[in-house]
Amino acid sequence: MTSLKTHSIFLISAIFRVGLILYGEWQDAHMEVRYTDVDYLVFSDAASLMASGHSPYKRTTYRYSPLLAFLLIPNSFLSRSWGKFLFSASDLFVGLFIHIILKQRKVPEDLCTYSLLIWLFNPFTFTIGTRGNCEPIVCAILLWIVICLMNGNVLQAACWYGLIVHFRIYPIIYALPIILFLDPCFFQSGVKPLLCDWTSDQGKTPQINSEVTDQCDVWIAFKSIFTRSRILFGLVSGSVFLFFTGFFFYLYGWEFLHEALLYHLTRTDPRHNFSIYFYHIYLNYERELSILEKLISFLPQVIVQLVLVFCFAKDLLFCFFVQTVAFVAFNKVITAQYFVWFFCLLPLILPWTNMKLKWQGLCCILLWIGAQTHWLMWGYLLEFKGKNVFLQLWVASLFFLAANTFVLIMLIRHHNYSPVFRRHAGSKTTLKSE
């Protein structure tokens, strides 16, 4: 009966997404405001160019891997909605992988169901794929990498990680926590890692720093950095990344390297941007910013990322989540699609929080949505009414950053630290003797 319930959830989710895609086609044809994301039109044009034997980068503003254009080639001869169905299928795979991960951690069925519903019926997530945004593909691959690591399949995880970093550069932030996660205390040759289940973590008080002394120590992990699993992961993922990057550089030259990779390091955007940096970008948009000015915004990100990684690396899913929230919050360009990056991880940490929906959880939800709605109000006045509200929009961006920071702190304070793996018997003794 429980299995049937889960199947029913996925079936309803699939039908719902198909309905939204079909509705989107109607809205595009009959209404002034289109349902389809403008990026999807860019993807489709790039795919059409590739199908004709041309470079996808002949389409202006196409700044993604050629793999994305290749995946959407059927848009040209099968259906213009092919990509939306592909992205929505990836969306459903994210839900499937969420369920698999939680079941492997022995999370109770009711919590698994609630977590699954948070992803599958979240308006921020189901509209992304049906409007034609590619982020669900990235989310699905990321969760598959987690499943591979949980099953001790380091080689396969490394292959997929190299691919995902090539496909969408931001997952590079997960490299350090994965390397620390591949601890010889847990990954031993010929032995499957032992998972910590949900029941063993209940009753613990929330902890932030205790893992520094209880995860074979970060210092011991660093002293043993060159272990078999870490070297394997680094070499294989690096090789896969370089293979795809080198292959497409051979085909499309500097145009590919700049548009798909380097552009995202120095990207500036004075519109549609939730970031606190947007006002500085707007004021200096007429002049070319120096490379130093473009890169200096990464400094707060790097500092926050390092602190979070060294605190939570062994609780990998929570580490990924707080990293992603912080990365997005402090990024110099923030668009609504970026929120999906951490929404796919949220259902995987909720079973380990002791925050009650009433009132703390509700407060966090309303604060985050309120801050975003406040920003969108000023954004509407600027974009659609042409009013000079740049300063007010910047203040709204500051408020949105504060809201993200508050929610992140609340989640950290109410999280029950839970390493994914437990030690094999005698692993600590063996490690120290080495």
Side-chain angles (χ1 to χ4, degrees):
M1 190 66 182
T2 300
S3 177
L4 179 61
K5 184 179 179 181
T6 302
H7 291 161
S8 299
I9 291 172
F10 277 104
L11 180 60
I12 294 170
S13 300
I15 294 172
F16 181 58
R17 282 158 173 76
V18 170
L20 280 176
I21 293 172
L22 296 178
Y23 165 77
E25 292 296 311
W26 179 88
Q27 180 174 322
D28 290 348
H30 295 88
M31 299 179 68
E32 182 179 359
V33 178
R34 296 175 61 88
Y35 181 82
T36 301
D37 194 320
V38 67
D39 284 345
Y40 186 71
L41 305 179
V42 175
F43 302 161
S44 299
D45 291 344
S48 180
L49 286 168
M50 180 175 277
S52 303
H54 301 290
S55 168
Y57 299 103
K58 289 185 179 295
R59 177 42 162 108
T60 55
T61 72
Y62 181 76
R63 299 188 174 100
Y64 301 84
S65 167
L67 282 176
L68 178 57
F70 177 77
L71 290 174
L72 267 60
I73 285 178
N75 275 20
S76 304
F77 61 86
L78 188 61
S79 169
R80 62 184 180 182
S81 296
W82 161 261
K84 294 180 182 179
F85 284 104
L86 177 65
F87 301 151
S88 296
S90 301
D91 187 3
L92 294 175
F93 270 108
V94 172
L96 176 63
F97 295 155
I98 288 171
H99 190 260
I100 290 174
I101 292 170
L102 293 179
K103 293 303 290 183
Q104 284 190 321
R105 298 290 302 275
K106 294 183 171 56
V107 174
E109 188 62 34
D110 58 338
L111 283 179
C112 286
T113 301
Y114 294 144
S115 298
L116 189 59
L117 293 173
I118 287 173
W119 170 259
L120 291 177
F121 293 99
N122 185 336
F124 282 98
T125 59
F126 63 65
T127 55
I128 289 293
T130 56
R131 294 185 66 227
N133 195 283
C134 68
E135 301 303 338
I137 292 180
V138 182
C139 296
I141 295 176
L142 178 63
L143 296 193
W144 179 248
I145 291 170
V146 171
I147 292 173
C148 291
L149 291 173
M150 289 174 64
N151 292 328
N153 196 335
V154 178
L155 178 60
Q156 186 177 161
C159 291
W160 284 106
Y161 184 72
L163 176 63
I164 196 179
V165 172
H166 164 81
F167 189 81
R168 203 79 164 92
I169 193 68
Y170 89 88
I172 192 69
I173 67 174
Y174 306 131
L176 182 56
I178 290 176
I179 290 297
L180 292 177
F181 180 74
L182 295 174
D183 196 315
C185 291
F186 314 120
F187 288 84
Q188 298 182 10
S189 180
V191 181
K192 186 176 179 179
L194 301 176
L195 291 173
C196 287
D197 58 46
W198 180 82
T199 55
S200 65
D201 300 315
Q202 299 314 296
K204 292 182 180 179
T205 55
Q207 300 178 31
I208 296 180
N209 296 315
S210 64
E211 65 272 18
V212 175
T213 59
D214 191 38
Q215 58 180 3
C216 287
D217 299 326
V218 171
W219 173 240
I220 293 177
F222 261 112
K223 288 197 295 183
S224 59
I225 194 72
F226 297 108
T227 60
R228 179 181 177 275
S229 57
R230 286 168 173 161
I231 293 173
L232 177 65
F233 186 87
L235 288 177
V236 174
S237 61
S239 298
V240 171
F241 173 80
L242 290 175
F243 169 78
F244 282 103
T245 303
F247 177 71
F248 288 123
F249 180 73
Y250 172 76
L251 290 180
Y252 303 116
W254 171 256
E255 195 174 33
F256 151 72
L257 202 60
H258 176 264
E259 297 292 346
L261 298 175
L262 299 180
Y263 167 81
H264 298 283
L265 297 176
T266 57
R267 178 183 177 185
T268 55
D269 192 344
R271 299 291 180 98
H272 320 292
N273 187 358
F274 288 85
S275 173
I276 60 171
Y277 296 103
F278 104 92
Y279 194 51
H280 173 75
I281 293 171
Y282 164 71
L283 293 175
N284 295 275
Y285 198 66
E286 295 298 324
R287 74 177 180 88
E288 182 67 24
L289 296 176
S290 68
I291 296 296
L292 180 61
E293 284 180 294
K294 290 181 177 181
L295 295 179
I296 197 68
S297 62
F298 286 109
L299 185 59
Q301 279 182 312
V302 171
I303 294 173
V304 173
Q305 291 293 308
L306 289 175
V307 171
L308 293 173
V309 167
F310 287 119
C311 283
F312 300 111
K314 290 299 181 284
D315 191 349
L316 189 66
L317 292 168
F318 187 70
C319 185
F320 279 4
F321 176 80
V322 293
Q323 273 189 280
T324 311
V325 173
F327 179 81
V328 171
F330 287 92
N331 204 27
K332 64 179 181 293
V333 175
I334 306 173
T335 61
Q337 71 193 53
Y338 292 2
F339 304 149
V340 180
W341 296 353
F342 55 78
F343 273 131
C344 74
L345 298 164
L346 179 62
L348 297 171
I349 69 164
L350 289 181
W352 284 270
T353 184
N354 62 9
M355 184 188 297
K356 302 298 183 182
L357 180 60
K358 182 182 178 181
W359 293 97
Q360 292 172 321
L362 194 60
C363 174
C364 289
I365 293 171
L366 292 177
L367 178 63
W368 191 83
I369 294 177
Q372 186 178 166
T373 304
H374 177 239
W375 188 97
L376 289 172
M377 178 192 73
W378 294 110
Y380 171 79
L381 293 175
L382 174 67
E383 303 274 342
F384 290 91
K385 298 299 183 180
K387 296 185 180 296
N388 184 3
V389 292
F390 282 97
L391 184 59
Q392 294 92 326
L393 194 60
W394 178 64
V395 173
S397 296
L398 291 174
F399 182 56
F400 188 59
L401 174 63
N404 276 284
T405 304
F406 175 81
V407 172
L408 184 60
I409 291 173
M410 288 292 289
L411 287 169
I412 291 174
R413 290 186 62 184
H414 290 85
H415 179 71
N416 288 315
Y417 174 73
S418 172
V420 176
F421 296 127
R422 51 192 172 89
R423 306 181 205 274
H424 289 280
S427 62
K428 191 168 184 179
T429 305
T430 304
L431 179 63
K432 287 185 175 181
S433 66
E434 293 175 354

